[in-house]
Amino acid sequence: MCRWIAYRGDTVPLEQYVTAPAHSLVVQSVRALESTASTNGDGFGLGWYGSHAEPGLYREVRPAWSDENLKHLCRHIRSPMFFAHVRAATSTPTNRPNCHPFVHGKWMFMHNGQVGDWSLIRRRVEELIPDEFYKSRIGTTDSEAMFLAILGANADADPIAATMRTLTTLTELVSTSGTTEPLRFTAALADGQNLYAFRYAANDAANTLYYRTSEGNLLLVSEPLDKDRESWIPVPPNHMVLAEVGKPLEIVPIDLAVRIAAE
Amino acid sequence: MCRWIAYRGDTVPLEQYVTAPAHSLVVQSVRALESTASTNGDGFGLGWYGSHAEPGLYREVRPAWSDENLKHLCRHIRSPMFFAHVRAATSTPTNRPNCHPFVHGKWMFMHNGQVGDWSLIRRRVEELIPDEFYKSRIGTTDSEAMFLAILGANADADPIAATMRTLTTLTELVSTSGTTEPLRFTAALADGQNLYAFRYAANDAANTLYYRTSEGNLLLVSEPLDKDRESWIPVPPNHMVLAEVGKPLEIVPIDLAVRIAAE
Amino acid sequence: MCRWIAYRGDTVPLEQYVTAPAHSLVVQSVRALESTASTNGDGFGLGWYGSHAEPGLYREVRPAWSDENLKHLCRHIRSPMFFAHVRAATSTPTNRPNCHPFVHGKWMFMHNGQVGDWSLIRRRVEELIPDEFYKSRIGTTDSEAMFLAILGANADADPIAATMRTLTTLTELVSTSGTTEPLRFTAALADGQNLYAFRYAANDAANTLYYRTSEGNLLLVSEPLDKDRESWIPVPPNHMVLAEVGKPLEIVPIDLAVRIAAE
Amino acid sequence: MCRWIAYRGDTVPLEQYVTAPAHSLVVQSVRALESTASTNGDGFGLGWYGSHAEPGLYREVRPAWSDENLKHLCRHIRSPMFFAHVRAATSTPTNRPNCHPFVHGKWMFMHNGQVGDWSLIRRRVEELIPDEFYKSRIGTTDSEAMFLAILGANADADPIAATMRTLTTLTELVSTSGTTEPLRFTAALADGQNLYAFRYAANDAANTLYYRTSEGNLLLVSEPLDKDRESWIPVPPNHMVLAEVGKPLEIVPIDLAVRIAAE
């Protein structure tokens, strides 16, 4: 289990949420409270939108808590939409391409969870990635493969439908693979304008996800950044968060069949 | 293009060939003489056989020339059969799983060259790897994929035939992929007892390979370790070196069709 | 606070104590039980004596738990005397020269503790290092500085007296520096033949130290490697362990004045 | 010998000079043309002024040419004044605190050169650093020590005089140390408003330094970034470049005695 935060709102320095709060993401890298893996020291990453359509990316294999560069970058980089992620590796090596977030063109993605027994269904998930996106597969995680599968399911046309289609396929792959390990997918996806987050699981409880809104700014977190628990609202299991340009924030159920049928 | 050395003979400290010679592998990491990439600073690796059937492995992303650990390990580790490799990355990231050598059970492999346009045929090469070996695919290089494909072609039964079968398939894949980039395969394979080396290319000149024997000890190198050029014998293009237990050293042509037919 | 182990006895693979036990040092790197810093993820190191008078050394900034090289080296390196250390950094950066153990010629040293307020007395401690040893100062930790000060106090002639002299000076420096922070010195020193360990503190409780002997083999640990608590004997505070060639193991009080006067 | 660039002018993305030019600093990290060390692969660093008085800093031990983060940061960070540096280590380890630039409060510094035989005069140079700045000494290079010595010589009051005083002392230290190795100091110093660069040597030729101005923007480089040689003007040996707020650019001789007397 990893820990992450996603922000969409007024332009702020990343430090405001990544390093400054009492229980900031960097503090969580040492000691998370709502995670089976209390230490999230297997690398980390920052992704942010700025003056380019394509997001910036900083990923490093060292633990977030001891990285001097991270402090400098969080202080100096300002963004209206960014992701930050600290990793607790499951079965894949600790190297930069396996750190979150992942980017491709304007798209950015990060994930907390797992896809059943990865060694059992890895090939099947890789097969979901069309050739044009497979070229961008530079790591070996389930998370990166799911991201590229979602893009391959035509996220450009409809990111929600693409994610639902991919989750439907993944749920089937896991259930028919013979594993008893769950599919857990607490993830965030963004295109620079819109931000989507998902709290989904099959065969298990979904990994935690909270949000907080303040003056139109949205913050999504694996666990609250401070003890003001009332300000942090849990996203219900099997729900998703839609923060789209020109629309009010929506928290809606993930109903795989309905969404896909609606296309 | 990378640089490598492989040794089989009396037990010696690794430093004897990796760091001590005038034009040692570590010197080649800064300035190689017979390579298009004169700097081989994209990580390196050591693999050695010792008291276990499975080889030891040390791989690191920093350049070999500045790694203090490398000096210590080369001084203290003694082995009768070892590989050392300095990398000049082509299109895959610099991380440990992408550094050579690669190991699986008793097998060890390293490579200098390329497999046509990797982005074009990568999926086809991955498909050559049987499921039982695909679990060990922790990086994204063409070299690791070829190694696992060779193991999947039953290297345990006949490593030469397995390599020939794989090279035959790779040659076809490259030639039908539409690329003009060559297949270049200057590689070493070992099982702890026997050492095999290959200098092969399709559509191009084969990458250099030299050997030197002295009192029954065999050293294979991408380029000579000193200026005593007479002691270093070039392996002819499209030939392979067979150093097997209880047999004399053999340098024989790589004739893909003949070897496979002879099985 | 860091965690460490030191071994002297029959030649064994390092994995026997570094990675294999239920509460091995690598497990302690994730979750230590008797340390204020439960995570010791700020780098680690191995030092071992082998066929050379000078020890081998492997230090790395990544956490011990995620380092693939560490597993390989611990399986393949065998030694009759070795140190292993996982670091929880206090105020100095996480880089290799700041990782323990430290080596100089035949000497090897590692430390758990602190020297008062390092920023206050750093210059004074540096001044204790004679020029001939100052050249070897490649990091910035208090631990490395104390090691070089001990060597400068003529460890070659009498390592115990040299350590006592240095501790005496350090105790004075800390007490006159105006800090309320303690001097804590739970450390190991070896020359390839003899092994010394110290559990000392001024102005505070001394950091834990345990030992276990079995068939003439000595193991010293920051905290027990398994739940067989009876086999692990605490070294009393302000005592030292002397394991010297041809002498029985001794646990004796650290009486700074007495030892120095006895010279 | 290292390679560096310094920029002062309109706000631009760092990539404009660090990665984009034909012979960019990143290209120079692989193959420099006017340096004894053609490969500058022992780490690198970026420092830039932005919305804070204190500069941002990104330093990494990997070679600049293979760092994916560097490309992202250079594309996304925009600044009116920045330094970039690729390192060829001389005698100190490759770790982040030994990479340039160095920062302290509003000040930033980087250096190409050496200070005689560092092992001979290191202690004398460390002694030049007042206590209040010695706390910031986190590495072991001559360059960082000189920077802190310059700050200690009251750079806040007069950075040029502080640098002249420090160079005077260093020149004496080197000449009386008995070494035949030179003092070479091609360096840049900035406070967020003003930029200073120095090309100085004692007992040797000064390391190269060029500048180019265009529409009020100043670029200083170890060697030209492209083949338009006419646009790059060599700073004469033992001269300095003064780019101060509200003043025209000045290239003036370094006359240690005169400058100090003028105070």
Side-chain angles (χ1 to χ4, degrees):
Chain A
M1 282 223 277
C2 310
R3 301 283 90 179
W4 57 253
I5 66 174
Y7 174 82
R8 179 175 185 271
D10 297 326
T11 295
V12 296
L14 274 54
E15 69 179 354
Q16 187 164 323
Y17 300 115
V18 179
T19 60
H23 190 60
S24 73
L25 193 70
V26 169
V27 173
Q28 293 176 36
S29 74
V30 184
R31 183 62 47 89
L33 299 175
E34 303 190 16
S35 170
T36 51
S38 76
T39 303
N40 291 273
D42 301 324
F44 68 90
L46 299 174
W48 68 95
Y49 292 94
S51 49
H52 289 263
E54 300 188 1
L57 189 63
Y58 174 61
R59 302 191 290 189
E60 171 55 29
V61 297
R62 293 171 58 158
W65 69 75
S66 71
D67 189 74
E68 313 88 344
N69 292 326
L70 178 61
K71 292 189 194 73
H72 274 280
L73 296 175
C74 286
R75 168 159 295 181
H76 281 269
I77 297 174
R78 300 168 57 86
S79 171
M81 190 182 298
F82 64 86
F83 288 5
H85 187 281
V86 293
R87 185 169 180 243
T90 46
S91 59
T92 45
T94 299
N95 57 47
R96 289 183 181 175
N98 286 351
C99 288
H100 307 229
F102 306 98
V103 301
H104 187 279
K106 70 177 180 182
W107 291 102
M108 183 156 67
F109 175 82
M110 65 183 167
H111 172 234
N112 168 22
Q114 67 174 104
V115 191
D117 180 337
W118 180 229
S119 71
L120 277 183
I121 67 161
R122 175 177 170 191
R123 292 196 106 136
R124 297 296 198 82
V125 180
E126 306 255 8
E127 284 164 9
L128 299 179
I129 308 170
D131 280 357
E132 64 176 296
F133 294 101
Y134 196 66
K135 288 179 185 174
S136 299
R137 174 82 161 136
I138 61 169
T140 57
T141 58
D142 51 2
S143 305
E144 186 198 33
M146 288 189 289
F147 172 45
L148 296 174
I150 290 168
L151 297 188
N154 206 0
D156 276 337
D158 184 341
I160 299 295
T163 305
M164 295 302 108
R165 266 200 299 275
T166 305
L167 285 180
T168 302
T169 307
L170 291 172
T171 302
E172 289 167 0
L173 282 176
V174 171
S175 72
T176 59
S177 73
T179 187
T180 58
E181 292 191 38
L183 166 63
R184 288 185 279 130
F185 183 87
T186 297
L189 178 70
D191 64 5
Q193 298 294 323
N194 309 293
L195 171 61
Y196 308 96
F198 308 89
R199 187 184 179 200
Y200 175 79
N203 306 325
D204 199 11
N207 285 357
T208 53
L209 181 62
Y210 297 82
Y211 72 99
R212 191 179 74 184
T213 56
S214 171
E215 301 179 10
N217 299 323
L218 169 67
L219 193 62
L220 288 151
V221 299
S222 295
E223 60 185 64
L225 302 188
D226 54 44
K227 292 189 172 171
D228 180 13
R229 299 294 298 216
E230 293 190 5
S231 72
W232 300 99
I233 305 170
V235 174
N238 298 324
H239 277 65
M240 57 187 164
V241 181
L242 314 182
E244 295 178 288
V245 172
K247 297 185 188 174
L249 184 71
E250 276 192 283
I251 315 293
V252 299
I254 292 178
D255 187 332
L256 301 181
V258 171
R259 284 301 285 211
I260 295 169
E263 281 185 85
Chain B
M1 283 223 276
C2 310
R3 301 284 89 178
W4 58 253
I5 65 174
Y7 174 82
R8 179 177 184 268
D10 297 326
T11 295
V12 295
L14 274 53
E15 69 179 353
Q16 189 165 321
Y17 300 115
V18 179
T19 59
H23 190 60
S24 73
L25 193 69
V26 169
V27 173
Q28 292 175 39
S29 73
V30 185
R31 182 64 48 89
L33 299 174
E34 303 191 14
S35 170
T36 51
S38 75
T39 301
N40 292 273
D42 300 324
F44 69 90
L46 298 175
W48 68 95
Y49 292 95
S51 49
H52 289 262
E54 299 186 3
L57 190 62
Y58 174 60
R59 301 191 289 188
E60 171 56 28
V61 297
R62 291 169 58 156
W65 69 74
S66 72
D67 189 73
E68 314 87 343
N69 291 325
L70 178 61
K71 293 190 193 71
H72 274 280
L73 295 175
C74 286
R75 168 159 296 182
H76 282 268
I77 296 175
R78 300 167 57 85
S79 170
M81 189 182 299
F82 64 85
F83 288 5
H85 186 280
V86 293
R87 185 169 181 243
T90 45
S91 59
T92 46
T94 298
N95 57 47
R96 289 183 182 176
N98 286 353
C99 288
H100 307 227
F102 307 97
V103 302
H104 187 278
K106 70 178 179 181
W107 292 102
M108 184 156 68
F109 175 81
M110 66 183 166
H111 171 235
N112 168 22
Q114 67 174 103
V115 191
D117 180 337
W118 181 228
S119 69
L120 276 185
I121 67 161
R122 176 177 170 190
R123 293 196 105 136
R124 298 297 198 80
V125 179
E126 305 256 8
E127 284 164 9
L128 299 179
I129 308 171
D131 280 355
E132 65 176 295
F133 294 101
Y134 195 66
K135 290 178 185 174
S136 300
R137 174 81 161 136
I138 59 169
T140 56
T141 58
D142 51 2
S143 304
E144 186 198 34
M146 288 190 287
F147 172 45
L148 295 173
I150 290 168
L151 296 187
N154 207 359
D156 276 337
D158 185 341
I160 299 296
T163 306
M164 295 303 107
R165 267 199 298 273
T166 305
L167 285 180
T168 302
T169 307
L170 291 172
T171 303
E172 289 166 3
L173 283 176
V174 170
S175 73
T176 60
S177 72
T179 185
T180 58
E181 292 191 37
L183 166 62
R184 287 185 279 128
F185 184 86
T186 296
L189 178 71
D191 64 6
Q193 299 294 323
N194 309 294
L195 171 60
Y196 309 96
F198 307 89
R199 185 185 180 200
Y200 175 78
N203 304 328
D204 198 11
N207 285 357
T208 54
L209 181 62
Y210 297 82
Y211 72 99
R212 190 179 75 185
T213 56
S214 171
E215 301 179 12
N217 299 323
L218 170 66
L219 193 63
L220 287 150
V221 299
S222 296
E223 59 185 65
L225 303 187
D226 55 43
K227 292 190 172 171
D228 180 13
R229 299 294 299 216
E230 292 190 5
S231 72
W232 299 98
I233 305 170
V235 175
N238 298 322
H239 277 65
M240 59 186 161
V241 181
L242 313 181
E244 295 178 288
V245 171
K247 297 184 187 175
L249 183 72
E250 277 192 281
I251 315 292
V252 300
I254 292 178
D255 187 331
L256 300 181
V258 170
R259 283 300 286 210
I260 295 168
E263 283 186 86
Chain C
M1 282 223 276
C2 309
R3 301 284 90 179
W4 58 254
I5 66 175
Y7 174 84
R8 180 178 184 268
D10 298 324
T11 295
V12 295
L14 274 54
E15 68 178 355
Q16 188 166 321
Y17 300 115
V18 179
T19 58
H23 191 61
S24 72
L25 193 71
V26 169
V27 173
Q28 293 175 38
S29 74
V30 184
R31 182 63 49 91
L33 299 175
E34 304 190 14
S35 170
T36 51
S38 75
T39 302
N40 292 273
D42 300 325
F44 69 90
L46 300 174
W48 68 96
Y49 293 95
S51 50
H52 289 263
E54 299 186 3
L57 189 63
Y58 174 61
R59 302 192 290 189
E60 171 56 28
V61 298
R62 291 170 59 157
W65 69 73
S66 72
D67 189 71
E68 314 88 343
N69 291 326
L70 179 61
K71 294 188 192 74
H72 273 280
L73 296 174
C74 286
R75 167 159 297 182
H76 281 268
I77 296 175
R78 301 167 58 85
S79 170
M81 189 182 298
F82 65 84
F83 288 5
H85 187 281
V86 294
R87 185 168 182 245
T90 46
S91 59
T92 44
T94 299
N95 57 47
R96 290 183 181 175
N98 285 352
C99 288
H100 306 228
F102 307 98
V103 302
H104 187 277
K106 70 178 179 181
W107 292 100
M108 183 156 67
F109 176 81
M110 66 182 166
H111 172 236
N112 168 22
Q114 66 174 104
V115 191
D117 180 335
W118 181 228
S119 70
L120 277 183
I121 68 160
R122 176 178 171 190
R123 293 197 103 134
R124 299 294 199 81
V125 180
E126 306 254 8
E127 284 164 9
L128 300 179
I129 309 171
D131 281 355
E132 67 176 294
F133 294 101
Y134 195 67
K135 289 178 184 174
S136 300
R137 175 79 159 139
I138 60 169
T140 57
T141 60
D142 51 2
S143 305
E144 185 198 34
M146 289 190 287
F147 173 45
L148 296 173
I150 291 169
L151 296 187
N154 206 359
D156 276 337
D158 184 340
I160 299 295
T163 305
M164 295 303 108
R165 267 198 299 273
T166 305
L167 285 180
T168 302
T169 308
L170 291 172
T171 302
E172 291 166 2
L173 282 177
V174 171
S175 73
T176 59
S177 72
T179 185
T180 59
E181 291 190 38
L183 167 61
R184 289 184 279 127
F185 184 84
T186 297
L189 178 70
D191 65 4
Q193 299 294 321
N194 309 294
L195 171 61
Y196 309 96
F198 308 89
R199 185 184 180 198
Y200 174 79
N203 305 328
D204 198 11
N207 286 356
T208 54
L209 182 62
Y210 297 82
Y211 74 98
R212 191 179 74 183
T213 56
S214 170
E215 301 180 10
N217 299 323
L218 171 66
L219 193 62
L220 286 151
V221 300
S222 294
E223 60 185 64
L225 304 188
D226 54 44
K227 292 189 171 171
D228 180 15
R229 300 292 299 216
E230 294 190 3
S231 71
W232 299 98
I233 305 170
V235 175
N238 298 323
H239 277 64
M240 59 186 161
V241 181
L242 313 181
E244 296 178 289
V245 171
K247 297 184 185 174
L249 183 72
E250 275 193 283
I251 316 291
V252 300
I254 292 177
D255 187 330
L256 300 181
V258 170
R259 284 298 289 209
I260 295 169
E263 282 185 87
Chain D
M1 282 222 276
C2 310
R3 301 285 90 179
W4 59 253
I5 67 174
Y7 174 83
R8 179 176 184 271
D10 297 324
T11 295
V12 294
L14 274 54
E15 69 180 354
Q16 187 164 325
Y17 300 116
V18 179
T19 59
H23 190 60
S24 73
L25 194 69
V26 169
V27 172
Q28 292 175 39
S29 74
V30 185
R31 183 63 49 88
L33 298 175
E34 302 192 14
S35 170
T36 52
S38 77
T39 302
N40 292 274
D42 300 325
F44 69 90
L46 300 175
W48 68 97
Y49 293 94
S51 49
H52 289 262
E54 298 187 3
L57 189 62
Y58 174 61
R59 301 191 291 189
E60 170 57 28
V61 298
R62 292 169 58 158
W65 67 75
S66 72
D67 189 72
E68 312 88 343
N69 291 325
L70 179 60
K71 292 189 194 73
H72 274 281
L73 295 174
C74 286
R75 168 159 297 183
H76 282 269
I77 297 175
R78 299 166 59 85
S79 170
M81 190 183 298
F82 65 84
F83 287 6
H85 186 281
V86 294
R87 186 170 180 242
T90 45
S91 59
T92 45
T94 299
N95 57 46
R96 287 183 182 175
N98 286 351
C99 288
H100 307 226
F102 306 99
V103 301
H104 186 279
K106 70 178 179 181
W107 292 100
M108 183 156 67
F109 176 80
M110 66 183 166
H111 171 234
N112 167 22
Q114 66 173 105
V115 191
D117 181 335
W118 180 230
S119 69
L120 277 183
I121 67 160
R122 176 178 169 189
R123 291 197 105 134
R124 298 296 198 79
V125 180
E126 306 253 9
E127 285 164 8
L128 299 178
I129 308 171
D131 281 354
E132 65 177 296
F133 294 102
Y134 196 66
K135 290 179 185 172
S136 300
R137 174 78 160 140
I138 60 169
T140 57
T141 58
D142 50 2
S143 305
E144 186 198 33
M146 288 189 288
F147 171 46
L148 295 174
I150 291 168
L151 296 188
N154 206 0
D156 276 336
D158 185 339
I160 298 296
T163 305
M164 294 304 107
R165 268 199 298 274
T166 305
L167 285 180
T168 301
T169 308
L170 291 172
T171 302
E172 289 167 3
L173 282 176
V174 170
S175 74
T176 60
S177 71
T179 186
T180 58
E181 292 191 38
L183 166 62
R184 287 184 280 131
F185 183 86
T186 297
L189 177 71
D191 64 5
Q193 298 295 322
N194 309 293
L195 170 61
Y196 309 96
F198 308 89
R199 185 184 179 199
Y200 174 77
N203 305 327
D204 199 11
N207 286 357
T208 53
L209 180 63
Y210 296 82
Y211 73 99
R212 191 179 73 184
T213 56
S214 171
E215 300 179 11
N217 300 323
L218 170 66
L219 192 62
L220 287 152
V221 299
S222 294
E223 59 186 65
L225 304 187
D226 53 45
K227 293 190 171 170
D228 179 14
R229 301 293 299 215
E230 292 190 5
S231 72
W232 299 99
I233 305 170
V235 174
N238 298 323
H239 277 64
M240 58 187 164
V241 180
L242 314 181
E244 296 179 288
V245 172
K247 296 184 187 174
L249 183 72
E250 276 192 283
I251 315 290
V252 300
I254 292 177
D255 187 331
L256 301 180
V258 170
R259 285 300 288 210
I260 296 168
E263 284 185 85

